[in-house]
Amino acid sequence: MSTPYPFTALVGQDDLRLALLLNAVSPAVGGVLVRGEKGTAKSTAVRALSMLLPTVDVVPDCRFSCDPGAPDPDCPDGPHPPGGREARPARMVELPVGASEDRLVGALDIERALAEGVKSFEPGLLAQAHRGILYVDEVNLLHDHLVDVLLDAAAMGASYVEREGVSVRHAARFLLVGTMNPEEGELRPQLLDRFGLTVEVAASREPDRRVEVVRRRLAYDDDPAGFAARWADEESAVRQRVVAARELLPKVRLGDGALKQIAATCAAFEVDGMRADIVMARTATALAAWDGRSDVLAEDVRQAALLALPHRRRRNPFDAPGLDEDKLDRTLEESAGDDDDPDPDGPGGGGQPSPEEGPQGGDAGAQSGTGEDGEPQPAGGGAGEQAPARAAEPFRTKALTVPGVGAGAAGRRSRARTERGRTTGALRPRGALTKLHLAATVRAAAPHQRARGRSGPGLVLRRDDLRQAAREGREGNLVLFVVDASGSMAARQRMSAVKGAVLSLLLDAYQRRDKVGLVTFRGAAAEVALPPTSSVDAAAARLESLPTGGRTPLAAGLLKAHDVLRVERLRDPSRRALLVVVTDGRATGGPEPVALAGRAARLLGAESVASVVVDCESGPVRLGLAGRLAEELEGTAVTLEELRADAIAGLVRDVRGTTSRRAA
């Protein structure tokens, strides 16, 4: 077993280390979500934490880590005889992003269960993580069905495995720690709220600190055991402090004054539900125990708010997480003053606000173009470029789907063959059986019962009789936006409406678990403003800063989209694409721009790319160029008005292709 990097040897990252240690002191805090750019020691810190946790007493030979003092009455390895006890280190179990559901919850042998009535169960990662740490790297990329299982286990403290009426239950209480890079996409709100605390990490910009990081890492890589030995005393001291804080924790007093500050803070920041209040109370109590105090101070409440609230105050995926510290201080001061509050000096106590760079809310205002002396008229070659227009308010859009049945990653947009969903038929299993089709299995075995010598009431089964349930659910797609940013779109009110429509489609893509990409064209060329990614908020940021002006190289935009889709098909062949072209249909600049655009559109249509054209043409006289473009793409066209879900034109508009495409 390799030697982990010592926790105390980490340089900086004070908030990250504190959040992890508070969960070590009080697992009831609810875990930690670590957000940050790559290369910021997120995984290193989590793995190092496991070495600081106290040992746990378990029942000998129990695969489910039952506590000898209170064994699980439903443990599949039980009942356990009294008296047995052994100590072992707390486990840290890693959940791979690509893990199967059976790997997470465990596997039940259906063949033995049906033929012999025996519950033969192989524990999964949830059983291994019981009374330890469950670590999910890149948690935002976890498949939806695994997220659902994690939510159920975290809420109930138990895992259930059911296969056609045969069920197994075992305890699954664990410290959930996740790390993620926000550039790769945000986390589902339901799972986000399950994390007690969240921490934003970034690499230091101080040269001296960066030098120390490199120096320590190189020393560790050269001699891991020797490096760990040099930090053994510091590790031991922190481990003893964790044990002492755990012993002190039940004696810490959370007064009414601190409770009032917690409630007032959660109300002021308009967080949903009551989980935030409970997490803040537990975090403040753990902070006091960690500092060796038996009373919760106002500084504990403030620190608890900074760790427990930022990820709970987001209202949509485009909101940057964070907390207004000035507002926090005002709220704590206004709610202070109860006579049983042990800190008479009010909020902040010994913890002084760290007015580092606040929420990134000023950039959009700096780009609003309010200092312009009138709006310049668009001209060729980009000479008339205008400052970016703000997007209009987003709205709920109609569902745009890819025709046919795919087999891509689980999502919520287009029909697909999936592991979860409604049963549509049965087939012979390829590999391990995961979803039994009971009726089809019985039908397959019935004709052979006499030949197999059946004499009792039981059914004589063979492996060849088993049938896998074929299920149909929904998949996520690659939604590639091709946005016209030329001078013909440059009227500010018009471009604001266009950006609002694209922002609405991005919000829809977030909710349906799609990947998104953004191609823009104006002036003389097209560019990939955002390569395909799961981060729709990154696409929204690119859209917000999109300038307009110049000619309309429609053909260049379509050909650039063709190149992006070709590369993505090689990277992820199972993920089907939906092309969304946002334009008024005009094509200018260069020789024969209209003919070139037509050829580029027919190229995409010939490759069966599902497409929709959002017609942005306005005014009393309309040329219908966007509709003609949609015909050449072999897709469909919708106006900005028709895109709204509450439009009279219908409830759902599918992206329809030709008859040959549907057959394919």
Side-chain angles (χ1 to χ4, degrees), residues 202-223:
S204 173
R205 299 297 184 258
E206 298 179 11
D208 290 344
R209 180 166 289 186
R210 296 174 73 96
V211 166
E212 186 61 23
V213 170
V214 175
R215 181 182 292 118
R216 293 187 186 184
R217 186 69 208 192
L218 293 177
Y220 170 77
D221 290 340
D222 289 342
D223 183 10

Side-chain angles (χ1 to χ4, degrees), residues 12 18 91 107 188 192 287 324 350 360 387 390 431 486 493 616 643:
L18 178 60
R91 291 173 178 162
R188 276 178 60 179
L192 191 64
L287 279 161
D324 185 339
Q360 302 171 0
R390 285 186 175 277
S486 64
Q493 185 175 1
C616 301
L643 192 61

Side-chain angles (χ1 to χ4, degrees), residues 554-555 558-559 579 595-607 611 628-634:
L554 177 57
L558 296 175
L559 291 175
L579 181 68
L596 282 175
R599 286 199 291 271
R602 289 190 290 274
L603 173 63
L604 287 163
E607 295 187 357
S611 58
R628 205 170 307 158
L629 174 65
E631 292 176 1
E632 292 175 321
L633 285 167
E634 299 184 8

Side-chain angles (χ1 to χ4, degrees), residues 363-378 382-391 485-487 489-496 499 522 542-550:
D363 293 344
Q367 298 169 347
S368 62
T370 54
E372 295 176 354
D373 296 330
E375 294 178 1
Q377 295 298 318
E385 179 178 306
Q386 297 188 19
R390 285 186 175 277
S486 64
M489 305 280 287
R492 297 192 69 79
Q493 185 175 1
R494 183 179 179 188
M495 197 61 197
S496 176
K499 285 187 175 183
R522 66 185 182 90
R542 299 289 198 283
L543 180 71
E544 186 69 25
S545 60
L546 178 65
T548 56

Side-chain angles (χ1 to χ4, degrees), residues 68-277:
D72 181 8
D74 297 319
C75 177
D77 284 354
H80 299 298
R85 179 185 299 266
E86 67 178 16
R88 65 159 175 77
R91 291 173 178 162
M92 193 200 74
V93 178
E94 294 194 39
L95 172 61
V97 169
S100 65
E101 185 176 342
D102 282 349
R103 182 74 184 96
L104 178 60
V105 302
L108 188 65
D109 192 329
I110 299 297
E111 185 175 359
R112 291 192 65 192
L114 292 178
E116 305 174 27
V118 176
K119 291 184 180 179
S120 177
F121 182 70
E122 184 64 29
L125 296 177
L126 290 180
Q128 296 179 32
H130 179 47
R131 305 175 67 201
I133 301 173
L134 181 62
Y135 171 49
V136 189
D137 194 14
E138 307 295 350
V139 64
N140 52 325
L141 304 182
L142 202 62
H143 289 303
D144 273 7
H145 67 284
L146 296 183
V147 170
D148 293 335
V149 171
L150 276 180
L151 289 176
D152 290 342
M156 297 184 294
S159 174
Y160 292 85
V161 183
E162 298 195 12
R163 297 288 188 271
E164 301 297 337
V166 181
S167 63
V168 172
R169 175 208 171 278
H170 65 82
R173 293 183 295 275
F174 46 81
L175 169 59
L176 182 61
V177 181
T179 57
M180 60 174 283
N181 184 346
E183 295 177 355
E184 297 172 338
E186 285 297 340
L187 203 57
R188 276 178 60 179
Q190 296 93 327
L191 185 57
L192 191 64
D193 190 51
R194 292 293 181 184
F195 286 98
L197 310 179
T198 186
V199 177
E200 295 278 340
V201 296
S204 173
R205 299 297 184 258
E206 298 179 11
D208 290 344
R209 180 166 289 186
R210 296 174 73 96
V211 166
E212 186 61 23
V213 170
V214 175
R215 181 182 292 118
R216 293 187 186 184
R217 186 69 208 192
L218 293 177
Y220 170 77
D221 290 340
D222 289 342
D223 183 10
F227 184 82
R230 291 196 292 275
W231 290 89
D233 291 342
E234 288 84 350
E235 292 283 286
S236 178
V238 172
R239 191 178 298 111
Q240 292 172 10
R241 187 176 175 185
V242 169
V243 173
R246 282 192 173 189
E247 294 175 351
L248 178 61
L249 187 65
K251 305 172 186 176
V252 175
R253 188 178 76 96
L254 182 64
D256 288 344
L259 280 173
K260 181 180 177 182
Q261 288 185 314
I262 290 170
T265 302
C266 292
F269 285 97
E270 300 180 348
V271 296
D272 296 329
M274 295 297 297
R275 183 174 284 117
D277 303 63

